[in-house]
Amino acid sequence: MRSIAGLILFTLCLFSQLQAQRTRYANLKGTVIDSASRQPVEAATVSIFLVADSTLINYGITNKKGEFLIKEIPQAKPCRVMVSYSGLNTHIQDFIISPETKELIINTVQLRKVFSEMEEIIVSAQRPPVMIKKDTLEFNAGSFKTPVNGVVEDLLKQLPGVEVDAEGNITINGKKVSKITVDGKDFFGSDFKITSKNLPKDIIDKVQVVDHKTREAQFNKITTGNEDKAINLTLKKDKKKGLFGRVSTGYGSDKRYESGASINFFNGPLQLNFIGFANNTNRQSFSGGDFSMGKPSSSFGGGGSGITETRAAGLNFSNEFSKKLRINGSYFYNNSAMTNTIKARRQNILPDTTFFYNSSTNSANNNESHRVHVNIDYKPDSMTDIYVNTFFNTSANKSTTANDALSTSIKGDPINAATNTFTGRSDDKNTGLEVFFGHRLNKQGRGFTLSMNYNYNDRLALDKNDGRTVFYKTDGSSTADTLDQQSNTTASNNMLSLSTSWTEPLAKQLSLIFQYNYSSGNGHSDKITNRFNPLTGQYDERDTLFSNAFRNRNLSHTPNISFSYNQNKLNATIGAGVQWLEQENVSEQAKNSLVQHYTNLFPSANIGYRFSKTGNINLNYSGRSQQPSIDQLQPVPDNSNTLYIRLGNPDLKPSFFHNINLNLQQYNSKAYWNAGIGFSTVNNQIIYETWFDSVQISRPVNTDGNYNVSYNLSFSRSWKKKGWSLRLTLGNNGYYNRNISFTNKVENITQTYNLSQRIGLTYTFKELLTLMPTFIMRYSDSRYSIEQTQQAENITKALTMNAFLNWPKRLILENNIQYNYNSRTAPGFPKGVTMWNMAANYQLFKNRQGILRLAVYDLLKQNTSIFRSVTPTYIEDTQVQVLQQYFLVSFIYNLKRFGK
């Protein structure tokens, strides 16, 4: 690992020095004001281009005083400065910095108001890279370089404040992205990873970032401060008509294979998309060798547990039939078959002692699913919004699990042993309908909404459990119990929610919002279990302990009133709601009915202050209730693992969560930092109490006294010169948890401390070299009130190095090395594991649309998946089966045909 770090530092210094020797640089300084008000313009974008070829050199954003300082501008070369701000005319000025000048100060730039749309036209090659427009952060895609065959994900990785993790999850300025649209339209429903990993970057014109709000919040213009982020990708005008995509196929050692296709047809507002893939390398999406920074990313198969063979295909359709009507729909089919072997070693925590549970489990699972999604967006006039969304999902699952387990005392004496095989077959159906209607009245700010949500799911299952359990006595003798039973389960659940809201303006910046929600849910779970009858050869002996018919009903009324204040810098929403909840649980076997009534208060408050155009602080409080699931309520034991029996509890009460969060963030064109602190606590939290009675039994119960305190700090900074760029990301977070559990009816208070530190670098030299080292270290410490329980202290470390070299011409080499260390891995499991993946890619044809790829996964044959779970009642180390070394040869072809 030291050699890797040394190589990184050497390479950075070498290329930086070579670049510095070629060209001398200076700074440009100035001030921007509004010509009418004579006030400084904050958050104006200042961009520097080379006059010769319009290449973007550097850019920045003005501060509160309207001042800017742009560094790393080449001397003795004709340059152009462009100053832009939404609502004001763009200022363009050419200049040259003489070789003897280290800092050039230009005259005060005066921006005039825009009086016509024609004055806003900017040559596309010289558009500003970043624009701030009220609640929208907009990036010009052409200002951020990605090489040939780059996709949207490659572009997002170059944007300031944007982070993309190994799984493709996206965060912007510390908040997660939960939706991506293309020209305002859904692309394969809500699966934004399909969009980011398959759409080519060179068809994107702008990346627009906004808050992701509910339709009611959008209509009423409400901001809570807890919104996720949403991205809208606008297409270039000349790319809105054409056919593009990617096709790949590959085969390798151990009969590993991958094949897939992503084909997209755009014709103005019409979008048709197809995606399909088949592989046995654990991929759950189509990639075909994604490119990052113009180089192949670490898109090696083998992630996750077990070995999975997948076949999937989907279609997406979207069209605007008029300016008023838009329809979008998609269908997706997935068939996956997984095999897995799991070895576990668990230390169970009891008030007076501990005992150990060791198991080996082999499983096979096959799942086939269909998903259909359709939404209709209709705007009959400028005052009315109508939205309809419906979906239908089906899933058929077959599984077999064979478990071999042994429990021993702290001295190593056997307590019990079990071997059992559990087979199951289930069919699930889920459908839903959402309808939204919003209408604005003549008075500005006045409007009302109506919405309805309905969700229904049902489940049919047939399970068979066959096993033998041995119980050991202290005198050395033992008894055995055999099990051969079959269960039929029929379950369904439906939920209807009706909501309405009225918004009334009280003053120019103050509004009153009244909301009312009605919800009704009904569910049932009927389980009939029979034992095998050797006399008849049938499963016709009713096992009443594992049989029951259970009904559950929930009914709630929730009125809510809130006040919303919106001013240029300050926005606040303060309100409260009252929920009257009725819950009824009926057990037909026990012949009893339990009706419970609750009154819950739903206070909410959000105060946000924007202290600058690029900085804000938010304080948020929210409360919510959560109902127990029907599985938690159903009083029928689950004995799929005969040594660990799980019970239900029909007496469970709903939980109520309180959350308080304070968040502060500041960003500009080069740097971003975020700080936050949060506190949460739960009344009637549902936990699982456990006790040991020849076997271990768990049951959900309610408890109070649990809470969590957490904090996070993150910082990102970018440096860029012509030819190279460097990005630094730092992250630090921690939390303290206090959890109450019950072991053998004795209260056990667990206090957990966790600290995590992350540092990452991304260095790019032209399109030749990319280095991306990341180091993460985590420390955790769990302490228990039961004195016999050992303190669980743990340190984990992860060092990852991604490297891409595009040399010689058309040849792209990639390396992915990851080292993981766990200080408290159980005996018999390795503490440190190194994963090394490599690939060579050769670009074919004149336009480089073809790629021949040779990849090797797990070069050192060390791939393992080992993780530790620490809970108040046990500490468990688990090792699962993973995909190990294989070689794969692939051919990838990128299709690009655009019309005029």
Side-chain angles (χ1 to χ4, degrees), residues 27-32 46 48 68 81-83 91 93-97 103-109:
N27 301 335
L28 181 69
K29 190 175 182 180
T31 303
V32 182
V46 182
I48 309 298
F68 66 86
V81 59
M82 181 172 68
V83 183
H91 172 86
Q93 175 182 337
D94 292 350
F95 66 95
I96 298 177
I97 300 179
E103 184 173 271
L104 176 65
I105 302 176
I106 63 174
N107 295 329
T108 299
V109 176

Side-chain angles (χ1 to χ4, degrees), residues 224-296:
T224 66
N226 282 332
E227 292 90 354
D228 294 337
K229 290 296 183 181
I231 293 175
N232 180 52
L233 305 170
T234 66
L235 301 179
K236 295 178 180 178
K237 291 184 178 180
D238 61 340
K239 298 296 190 295
K240 293 188 177 183
K241 185 176 182 180
L243 184 70
F244 60 91
R246 178 180 297 171
V247 179
S248 70
T249 184
Y251 189 80
S253 60
D254 295 331
K255 297 182 179 181
R256 300 295 167 204
Y257 70 91
E258 290 180 355
S259 60
S262 173
I263 300 175
N264 309 275
F265 173 75
F266 284 5
N267 187 3
L270 174 64
Q271 295 180 11
L272 295 173
N273 317 97
F274 167 79
I275 185 170
F277 55 90
N279 66 76
N280 61 358
T281 56
N282 287 15
R283 289 191 189 277
Q284 296 302 308
S285 63
F286 170 73
S287 64
D290 296 341
F291 274 65
S292 176
M293 302 281 296
K295 295 84 181 167

Side-chain angles (χ1 to χ4, degrees), residues 512-516 558-563 574-578 602 604:
L512 169 68
I513 303 169
F514 173 77
Q515 298 166 300
Y516 170 77
T558 311
N560 183 289
I561 188 169
S562 60
F563 295 89
I574 299 175
V578 179
F602 282 79
S604 63

Side-chain angles (χ1 to χ4, degrees), residues 705-725:
N706 294 345
Y707 62 87
N708 169 274
V709 181
S710 62
Y711 78 91
N712 69 83
L713 299 169
S714 59
F715 174 79
S716 176
R717 177 71 164 90
S718 299
W719 295 266
K720 182 176 181 180
K721 288 188 178 181
K722 185 181 179 182
W724 67 268
S725 64

Side-chain angles (χ1 to χ4, degrees), residues 124 127 138-144 146 150-156 159 180-183 187 195-196 198-208 231-240 244 266 271 898:
S124 60
R127 289 190 305 177
E138 184 176 277
F139 299 97
N140 172 30
S143 299
F144 300 89
T146 60
V151 294
V152 168
E153 185 176 89
D154 304 319
L155 170 62
L156 296 178
L159 305 183
I180 295 181
T181 56
V182 179
D183 274 345
F187 190 80
T195 308
S196 62
N198 290 280
L199 278 183
K201 176 263 180 183
D202 54 15
I203 71 168
I204 305 302
D205 183 38
K206 298 175 183 176
V207 178
Q208 299 171 331
I231 293 175
N232 180 52
L233 305 170
T234 66
L235 301 179
K236 295 178 180 178
K237 291 184 178 180
D238 61 340
K239 298 296 190 295
K240 293 188 177 183
F244 60 91
F266 284 5
Q271 295 180 11
F898 296 102

